[in-house]
Amino acid sequence: MAIDNPLDIELRQLREQLDEDSYLPVLATKLGLSAAAAAALSAHPFVSQILTSLLTSSPKRFEQRFVSVMEALVKQQQQIEERIPDQSYYQSEEFHALLTLILEKLHSTHQQEKLKTFGEALANSGTQEFAPDDKEPYIRTLRDLSLEDLQTLRRMREMSQRPSPFGNGRVQKGDSASLARLASLGLLQESTALKDFDLRVPIVPTSSQTAEKYAKGMANAFKQYFKNAATSTYRISGFGHRFLSFIASASPEEQF
């Protein structure tokens, strides 16, 4: 029979405590509104109710999210144990710095999928594969991405792996905020190419056409050509591939 991991036991006990109805957030007894703020909110009971709820439930929510991250970390560690050369890494200053970056985002992160990815990324940071890397850029990038962004990036990777002639891994640049955000973080690479387009060059000047008018016509023709022929596309970058490996789940079927 397998012996329970001590950390597993502690997390389970903490989860049980957090799930109890008798849990009393410490913040509720320590935080209060100023008289001026209370007076301003008195005319808006709905806003006051929301604010009060946030103040009194924040500690419990934070701890629940922290437990979710740690549970995912432990589970991932157990599944990739053979890839972790030194378990003491998780006691190092480097790991503590990464964990701190994650903790800073727990107040504004509620999706279980994102919390799970936080934990798995922290576990992966201790693997041999990423030992030579600076892990902080991966964690900072993960903090800034939404679930939609992560799904988009995974689709871009899938497209890049399709054999020809089914695709070249490129998508045309458009109005997608997710694609633009991924590109700004270096996860996608933008490139510009010229597509087939008819260049309409004005006829050679005649006796009725001045050289100035002809030059202006040529300039307008090329301006129109580059406006219509130029096309920008995105494809996943080397950093994008590496980033997805860093946050990969040991259970691919559980990825969102």
Short mmCIF file of all heavy atoms in Angstrom, two decimals, residues 199 201-202 213-223:
data_model
loop_
_atom_site.label_atom_id
_atom_site.label_comp_id
_atom_site.label_asym_id
_atom_site.label_seq_id
_atom_site.Cartn_x
_atom_site.Cartn_y
_atom_site.Cartn_z
N LEU A 199 -0.18 45.13 -60.66
CA LEU A 199 0.38 46.47 -60.53
C LEU A 199 0.03 47.27 -61.78
O LEU A 199 0.50 46.97 -62.88
CB LEU A 199 1.90 46.40 -60.36
CG LEU A 199 2.65 47.74 -60.33
CD1 LEU A 199 2.15 48.59 -59.16
CD2 LEU A 199 4.15 47.51 -60.22
N VAL A 201 0.62 50.22 -63.75
CA VAL A 201 1.58 51.30 -63.95
C VAL A 201 1.03 52.27 -65.00
O VAL A 201 0.56 51.84 -66.06
CB VAL A 201 2.93 50.75 -64.43
CG1 VAL A 201 3.93 51.89 -64.65
CG2 VAL A 201 3.47 49.74 -63.43
N PRO A 202 1.06 53.58 -64.73
CA PRO A 202 0.54 54.55 -65.70
C PRO A 202 1.38 54.54 -66.98
O PRO A 202 2.56 54.18 -66.98
CB PRO A 202 0.66 55.88 -64.95
CG PRO A 202 1.71 55.65 -63.92
CD PRO A 202 1.56 54.22 -63.51
N LYS A 213 3.13 64.95 -63.32
CA LYS A 213 1.88 64.19 -63.22
C LYS A 213 2.15 62.70 -63.36
O LYS A 213 1.55 61.87 -62.68
CB LYS A 213 0.91 64.67 -64.29
CG LYS A 213 -0.46 64.02 -64.20
CD LYS A 213 -1.41 64.61 -65.22
CE LYS A 213 -2.80 63.98 -65.10
NZ LYS A 213 -3.75 64.53 -66.10
N TYR A 214 3.10 62.34 -64.23
CA TYR A 214 3.44 60.93 -64.43
C TYR A 214 4.08 60.35 -63.16
O TYR A 214 3.75 59.24 -62.74
CB TYR A 214 4.40 60.80 -65.61
CG TYR A 214 4.91 59.39 -65.82
CD1 TYR A 214 4.09 58.40 -66.36
CD2 TYR A 214 6.22 59.04 -65.46
CE1 TYR A 214 4.55 57.11 -66.54
CE2 TYR A 214 6.69 57.75 -65.63
CZ TYR A 214 5.85 56.79 -66.18
OH TYR A 214 6.31 55.51 -66.36
N ALA A 215 4.99 61.12 -62.55
CA ALA A 215 5.66 60.66 -61.35
C ALA A 215 4.65 60.46 -60.21
O ALA A 215 4.74 59.51 -59.44
CB ALA A 215 6.72 61.67 -60.93
N LYS A 216 3.69 61.37 -60.14
CA LYS A 216 2.66 61.25 -59.10
C LYS A 216 1.82 60.00 -59.34
O LYS A 216 1.45 59.29 -58.41
CB LYS A 216 1.78 62.49 -59.12
CG LYS A 216 0.74 62.51 -58.00
CD LYS A 216 -0.05 63.82 -58.00
CE LYS A 216 -1.08 63.83 -56.89
NZ LYS A 216 -1.86 65.09 -56.87
N GLY A 217 1.51 59.72 -60.62
CA GLY A 217 0.73 58.53 -60.95
C GLY A 217 1.49 57.25 -60.60
O GLY A 217 0.90 56.27 -60.11
N MET A 218 2.81 57.23 -60.83
CA MET A 218 3.62 56.08 -60.49
C MET A 218 3.62 55.86 -58.96
O MET A 218 3.50 54.73 -58.48
CB MET A 218 5.06 56.31 -60.98
CG MET A 218 5.25 56.13 -62.48
SD MET A 218 5.16 54.40 -62.97
CE MET A 218 6.68 53.77 -62.27
N ALA A 219 3.77 56.96 -58.22
CA ALA A 219 3.80 56.86 -56.75
C ALA A 219 2.47 56.31 -56.23
O ALA A 219 2.45 55.45 -55.34
CB ALA A 219 4.08 58.22 -56.15
N ASN A 220 1.36 56.77 -56.77
CA ASN A 220 0.05 56.29 -56.35
C ASN A 220 -0.14 54.82 -56.70
O ASN A 220 -0.76 54.05 -55.93
CB ASN A 220 -1.06 57.13 -56.98
CG ASN A 220 -1.15 58.52 -56.37
OD1 ASN A 220 -0.76 58.73 -55.22
ND2 ASN A 220 -1.65 59.48 -57.14
N ALA A 221 0.38 54.40 -57.87
CA ALA A 221 0.26 53.02 -58.30
C ALA A 221 0.99 52.08 -57.34
O ALA A 221 0.46 51.04 -56.93
CB ALA A 221 0.80 52.86 -59.72
N PHE A 222 2.22 52.43 -56.97
CA PHE A 222 2.98 51.60 -56.05
C PHE A 222 2.38 51.63 -54.64
O PHE A 222 2.40 50.62 -53.93
CB PHE A 222 4.44 52.05 -56.01
CG PHE A 222 5.26 51.50 -57.14
CD1 PHE A 222 5.59 52.28 -58.23
CD2 PHE A 222 5.69 50.17 -57.12
CE1 PHE A 222 6.33 51.76 -59.28
CE2 PHE A 222 6.44 49.65 -58.17
CZ PHE A 222 6.76 50.45 -59.26
N LYS A 223 1.84 52.78 -54.24
CA LYS A 223 1.20 52.88 -52.93
C LYS A 223 0.01 51.93 -52.86
O LYS A 223 -0.18 51.22 -51.87
CB LYS A 223 0.75 54.32 -52.69
CG LYS A 223 0.06 54.52 -51.34
CD LYS A 223 -0.35 55.98 -51.16
CE LYS A 223 -1.05 56.20 -49.84
NZ LYS A 223 -1.46 57.63 -49.67
#
